[in-house]
């Protein structure tokens, strides 16, 4: 199966792939990747230190051409994380050597494993998620339709090359669809503003920083698509981007195990606080704790399950692949959400941290966070449920803000949401702990 179809096209414009360490045409990339593929023959699985560079893109491309599953290792991984990934996967780290030009081998079947992506490890040791070539192709083709993504586009981003957003969408997408790719190394407002693209990818932290730099935001006005993912985009940031760039960002939803499953459309509505509609071929549903279906009424919060061709093959276990635990073919995402009568999805957050059961009510942390962010003094907010002897869980907020009183913020939320959704306690902090993709690590928040 030819996964990276644009590499074989007759179009060989210079600078098809640009990074901080150089640029390659498609045929130059294909030749170098062919050399890597030749070196990989006979290896069952390989790993690459996924620094944001052409060398990483060449190595990943070569492994995909050779049909050898590849494990991208975060360049900032600690010793223990790196050792776990290599031991768990059994992968050989490919040396960073200049590859010779080589013949392009015949690519394997669609069902062959392409990538092993390790989860962030928030609920235990990182797990190796096995993603097939067919799943990647199905997802990229669906996104190409939803976003009207074509070979005429230039994609700009500076996201890490070891996650779905930066690697699968941000690198393999252009190599399949044929669009030009500019990787900025780091996703800074200046780097984005100085790169002329028609599409930009970012996580909420990136977009928040761009929105706070009006000149950088206005420089993106000629682009046709600003895509946000990996975490919910705060509504105030959504609104600021719309004002500064003249267009609302497109939000989408996915995870390592499912790739991208829900998205707003480039030619359709873009709603703040919502991630859109299921992609073609994707099914979604809400269930309660017993697995019983819940209504799509836009209000009821339930556990989100998905099904479709983009799901993982399974997890690496003891030298093999353990299939995921499915509920009648549905994958339990671990996220909670609402679905409206028109099919629009709003992601509340992780069931383990963002669904708060307080005083008999089910409260989504994201709704409270959005309300806090409407206060002009608040820059960042994270809301969690803290064990409470009477309420079960007490709604507790951690806020990065200009000088403001906790009581003022509690009253501010109470005036905008139902009284039972107000935080009972607000902690003013200097910063929120985040991972490389900008997601707040709520397990690290502490009241001490």
């Amino acid at each position: 199966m030819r996964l990276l179809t644009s590499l074989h096209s007759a179009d060989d414009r210079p600078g098809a792939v640009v990074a901080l360490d150089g640029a390659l045409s498609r045929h130059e990339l294909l030749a170098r990747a062919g050399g890597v593929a030749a070196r990989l023959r006979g290896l069952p699985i390989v790993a690459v230190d996924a620094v944001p560079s052409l060398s990483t893109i060449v190595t990943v491309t070569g492994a995909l051409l050779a049909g050898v599953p590849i494990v991208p290792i975060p360049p900032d991984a600690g010793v223990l994380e790196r050792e776990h990934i290599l031991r768990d996967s059994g992968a050989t780290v490919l040396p960073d050597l200049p590859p010779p030009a080589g013949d392009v081998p015949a690519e394997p079947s669609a069902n062959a494993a392409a990538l092993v992506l390790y989860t962030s490890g928030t609920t235990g040791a990182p797990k190796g998620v096995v993603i097939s070539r067919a799943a990647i192709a199905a997802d990229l083709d669906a996104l190409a339709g939803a976003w009207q993504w074509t070979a005429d586009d230039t994609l700009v981003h500076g996201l890490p090359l070891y996650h779905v957003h930066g690697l699968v969408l941000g690198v393999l997408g252009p190599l399949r669809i044929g669009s030009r790719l500019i990787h900025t190394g780091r996703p800074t407002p200046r780097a984005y503003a100085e790169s002329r693209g028609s599409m930009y990818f970012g996580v909420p932290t990136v977009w928040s920083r761009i929105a706070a730099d009006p000149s950088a935001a206005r420089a993106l006005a000629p682009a046709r698509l600003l895509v946000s993912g990996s975490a919910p985009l705060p509504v105030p940031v959504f609104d600021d981007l719309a004002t500064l760039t003249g267009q609302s960002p497109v939000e989408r939803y996915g995870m390592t195990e499912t790739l991208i499953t829900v998205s707003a459309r480039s030619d359709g509505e873009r709603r703040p606080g919502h991630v859109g509609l299921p992609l073609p071929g994707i099914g979604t549903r809400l269930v309660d704790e017993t697995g019983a279906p819940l209504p799509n009424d836009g209000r009821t919060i339930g556990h989100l399950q998905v099904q479709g061709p983009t799901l993982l093959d399974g997890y690496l276990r003891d030298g093999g692949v353990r299939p995921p635990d499915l509920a009648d073919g549905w994958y339990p995402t671990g996220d909670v959400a609402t679905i409206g009568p028109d099919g629009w999805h709003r992601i509340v957050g992780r069931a383990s941290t963002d669904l708060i059961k307080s005083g008999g009510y089910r409260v989504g942390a994201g709704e409270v966070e959005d309300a806090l962010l409407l206060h002009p003094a608040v820059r960042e907010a994270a809301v969690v449920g803290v064990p409470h002897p009477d309420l079960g869980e007490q709604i507790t907020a951690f806020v990065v803000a200009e000088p403001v009183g906790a009581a003022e913020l509690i009253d501010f939320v109470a005036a905008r949401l139902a009284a039972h959704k107000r935080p009972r306690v607000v902690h003013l902090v200097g910063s929120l702990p985040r991972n490389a993709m900008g997601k707040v690590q709520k397990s690290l928040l502490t009241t001490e």
Side-chain angles (χ1 to χ4, degrees), residues 253 255 303-304 331-336 349-352:
Y253 166 78
M255 57 192 308
H303 296 265
L304 180 63
Y331 179 81
T333 65
D335 288 325
V336 285
R350 297 298 292 172
S352 57

Side-chain angles (χ1 to χ4, degrees), residues 169-366:
L169 276 62
V171 173
L172 305 188
L175 297 184
R176 181 169 180 81
I177 294 163
S179 59
R180 187 167 179 251
L181 167 63
I182 299 175
H183 195 283
T184 62
R186 292 175 57 82
T188 64
R190 174 174 292 184
Y192 276 38
E194 292 177 349
S195 301
R196 296 185 177 182
S198 61
M199 299 172 64
Y200 289 81
F201 286 174
V203 298
T205 301
V206 172
W207 294 121
S208 177
R209 292 171 180 171
I210 290 174
D213 185 339
S215 63
R218 293 189 186 100
L220 305 187
R224 68 172 193 85
L225 208 63
L226 311 177
V227 179
S228 182
S230 300
L233 184 68
V235 172
V237 177
F238 182 104
D239 292 339
D240 288 345
L241 286 173
T243 299
L244 291 166
T245 68
Q247 64 168 301
S248 299
V250 163
E251 292 194 70
R252 89 301 182 278
Y253 166 78
M255 57 192 308
T256 305
E257 287 91 342
T258 67
L259 303 181
I260 307 307
T261 52
V262 180
S263 179
R265 302 319 197 245
S266 63
D267 59 350
E269 184 182 0
R270 306 173 193 182
R271 295 182 192 173
H274 293 72
V275 293
L277 302 162
L279 293 174
I282 299 295
T284 63
R285 70 178 185 181
L286 298 178
V287 299
D288 64 16
E289 285 80 359
T290 69
L294 292 173
N296 293 353
D297 57 14
R299 300 184 304 275
T300 303
I301 298 174
H303 296 265
L304 180 63
Q305 297 182 341
V306 302
Q307 64 176 192
T310 66
L311 297 188
L312 75 165
D313 285 352
Y315 298 98
L316 287 186
R317 283 292 184 275
D318 302 321
V321 179
R322 177 177 65 81
D325 295 326
L326 302 180
D328 299 324
W330 293 86
Y331 179 81
T333 65
D335 288 325
V336 285
T338 66
I339 303 176
D342 57 0
W344 270 74
H345 288 53
R346 180 174 66 86
I347 305 301
V348 173
R350 297 298 292 172
S352 57
T353 58
D354 294 308
L355 179 60
I356 302 171
K357 300 176 182 178
S358 181
Y361 294 99
R362 295 157 62 93
V363 179

